[in-house]
Amino acid sequence: QKVDQDPSFLASYVNGFYAYMVQFNTQASSSNVHDDYGLLSVYLNLELMGADIVNAGTPNWGQYDYLQDYGQQDYRRTYQHWNFYYTMINNSNAVIDFFVAGEDPTDATAKGYLGQAYILRAMAYTELLYQYLNPVDANGALNLEAPAVPLVFATRDGRSVDEATEKGGRNTMAVVMEHIEENIALALPLLDGYVRSSKTEIDLSVAQGIAARYYLFTQQWEKAAEMANKASVGYTLMDNARLHAGFNEVNDAEVMWGFNHTTETQTTYASFFSHMCNDGSGYAGIGQMIKCIDKSLYDQIPATDYRKTLFNTADGDPTAAAVGAQHPYASRKFGMIDQWLQDYIFMRAAEMKLIEIEAYVRSNKAADAARVMKELMAKRDPAYGKGSVTLED
């Protein structure tokens, strides 16, 4: 009841959600772990295993992810990601348990704090499912009976000791999905009407974006399209100038959610921009694991697409000041700011457009897919003129 009457009591705990998500070196068992800097380090580690990014230059941070050689349970990366998400879940549970079981707060700010805790918990379990089981079978259908991950409940969840103990072991994918959907259903109405203090916090639009990611992943196409469409309302897609502005400003009109770094929170070499900015003074800039676009992907981008000039050509850029920026096909997308004050971007409206498009394609709504694709491509490639959209597109 204290929280409902005075939500400022809980503000520091909610701020702790987001401070943890950009924290350097969460691995207490190790030191100088410069590839462990929160949520974006997890996303980059996963991206390195894909086919669209090339790690050039001197082997260093991320090389074992790139080689897909981090699969065993006792490997450092596996521990890092597991620890990150279960800490997020425990942080969420701590806030949830400030509220009396069976009663929702009436204060708008308190409701918003509780809603953020529920949706962050949903996000954490969703991203654990990405990583700790094979989510589809040989035919591409959901692998609902596959053993997945443990559930950790808050007292407010009202689970019996027996159920909490049982589900504290590995659950099937179906059981974890049920819990995620419960969290989404609880979070959205609590966040409806909540006005966040900054884009560091989650509001209703971001919660809808997290839900859209989940529904796309679990092949619930209509719900994915609906949530993505709602999430993107009120945001403005980047134009050519903003696409070339460095992707380091959380207050850009396309950015839905991120973290506004200050001199107190930035983590210099142990940071996303150290690893991704080839033009900077971090690891990529000095030539360790230079981030490049795969040539076959680069060659598919039309010359009229504004995004093509975010990467070097095959000739590289010998005039660039940083070693990383000189390399053929090097990414020039991420820019530096003095004192390492680049903001972290967690979600953009363009992602919501792409989720909506894919969901329409997969549910055979060709006209809707083409309509939304044209909205996106109007800000990406003025020569784009396709009248239909395929899954390959």
Side-chain angles (χ1 to χ4, degrees):
Q1 295 300 335
K2 166 69 176 175
V3 171
D4 195 18
Q5 296 163 13
D6 181 14
S8 61
F9 174 75
L10 196 54
S12 62
Y13 289 86
V14 174
N15 290 337
F17 283 156
Y18 304 111
Y20 175 73
M21 290 169 63
V22 298
Q23 180 178 312
F24 157 54
N25 189 14
T26 60
Q27 299 181 58
S29 62
S30 183
S31 61
N32 195 33
V33 184
H34 283 191
D35 57 355
D36 184 357
Y37 43 85
L39 182 64
L40 289 190
S41 66
V42 177
Y43 289 172
L44 177 55
N45 296 337
L46 299 179
E47 179 73 11
L48 288 171
M49 296 193 292
D52 58 342
I53 190 169
V54 171
N55 256 342
T58 307
N60 203 282
W61 302 112
Q63 62 178 311
Y64 294 110
D65 305 279
Y66 186 62
L67 297 171
Q68 301 192 23
D69 191 22
Y70 255 146
Q72 300 302 310
Q73 73 275 10
D74 55 349
Y75 282 16
R76 182 170 64 88
R77 185 71 73 233
T78 314
Y79 168 84
Q80 174 192 344
H81 291 192
W82 185 272
N83 180 66
F84 176 79
Y85 285 111
Y86 277 104
T87 301
M88 276 185 62
I89 291 164
N90 289 336
N91 290 345
S92 299
N93 286 344
V95 170
I96 290 167
D97 275 339
F98 272 99
F99 296 90
V100 176
E103 298 179 17
D104 282 345
T106 56
D107 178 88
T109 301
K111 288 171 66 177
Y113 288 164
L114 182 57
Q116 289 176 72
Y118 280 130
I119 200 65
L120 278 169
R121 201 166 62 169
M123 172 181 151
Y125 282 118
T126 299
E127 298 189 7
L128 282 165
L129 288 181
Y130 294 164
Q131 298 176 59
Y132 289 96
L133 76 158
N134 187 352
V136 295
D137 63 21
N139 298 315
L142 290 179
N143 205 357
L144 294 175
E145 296 306 309
V149 298
L151 297 178
V152 182
F153 296 105
T155 302
R156 180 182 162 89
D157 292 322
R159 299 305 203 273
S160 68
V161 173
D162 287 345
E163 182 181 2
T165 301
E166 176 190 354
K167 292 184 176 177
R170 295 190 78 180
N171 300 281
T172 65
M173 184 179 182
V175 169
V176 179
M177 285 173 56
E178 181 181 15
H179 187 54
I180 293 169
E181 293 179 21
E182 288 174 358
N183 279 269
I184 292 171
L186 289 166
L188 295 183
L190 288 166
L191 287 164
D192 191 6
Y194 175 70
V195 179
R196 56 183 171 178
S197 60
S198 72
K199 286 187 180 180
T200 293
E201 286 190 65
I202 289 174
D203 66 359
L204 179 61
S205 68
V206 177
Q208 291 166 333
I210 291 170
R213 290 173 174 175
Y214 166 77
Y215 289 128
L216 188 76
F217 170 59
T218 55
Q219 304 182 14
Q220 300 181 63
W221 313 126
E222 290 187 7
K223 290 182 178 180
E226 177 189 5
M227 284 291 108
N229 176 270
K230 289 179 177 179
S232 65
V233 172
Y235 297 95
T236 305
L237 293 172
M238 292 181 182
D239 57 16
N240 187 22
R242 286 158 55 212
L243 283 167
H244 288 78
F247 288 85
N248 53 24
E249 177 50 68
V250 73
N251 289 320
D252 183 274
E254 186 183 298
V255 174
M256 299 172 61
W257 180 35
F259 189 90
N260 188 359
H261 268 300
T262 67
T263 53
E264 288 76 27
T265 62
Q266 60 88 357
T267 51
T268 57
Y269 284 96
S271 70
F272 177 75
F273 283 86
S274 172
H275 289 263
M276 281 301 298
C277 177
N278 292 313
D279 281 282
S281 54
Y283 289 119
I286 64 175
Q288 294 185 2
M289 306 304 280
I290 302 166
K291 303 306 186 295
C292 303
I293 187 172
D294 182 85
K295 179 182 182 299
S296 62
L297 177 58
Y298 178 84
D299 289 344
Q300 292 180 60
I301 304 176
T304 52
D305 193 313
Y306 299 141
R307 293 169 293 186
K308 190 150 193 164
T309 54
L310 292 172
F311 306 94
N312 283 346
T313 67
D315 297 326
D317 183 2
T319 65
V323 173
Q326 298 170 12
H327 202 278
Y329 301 109
S331 170
R332 312 297 290 275
K333 177 175 176 177
F334 297 98
M336 286 293 293
I337 299 176
D338 289 346
Q339 297 182 290
W340 298 85
L341 293 181
Q342 304 95 318
D343 297 336
Y344 283 2
I345 295 174
F346 300 149
M347 184 182 290
R348 292 193 289 123
E351 178 194 355
M352 296 301 110
K353 296 294 184 183
L354 290 166
I355 289 175
E356 190 178 0
I357 295 162
E358 181 176 345
Y360 286 143
V361 171
R362 290 185 181 274
S363 55
N364 298 314
K365 295 183 177 180
D368 288 327
R371 171 180 53 80
V372 181
M373 181 68 93
K374 286 179 180 178
E375 292 175 17
L376 176 66
M377 294 306 291
K379 296 293 184 74
R380 300 294 183 264
D381 183 357
Y384 181 83
K386 290 188 177 182
S388 61
V389 181
T390 67
L391 193 59
E392 180 65 18
D393 292 325

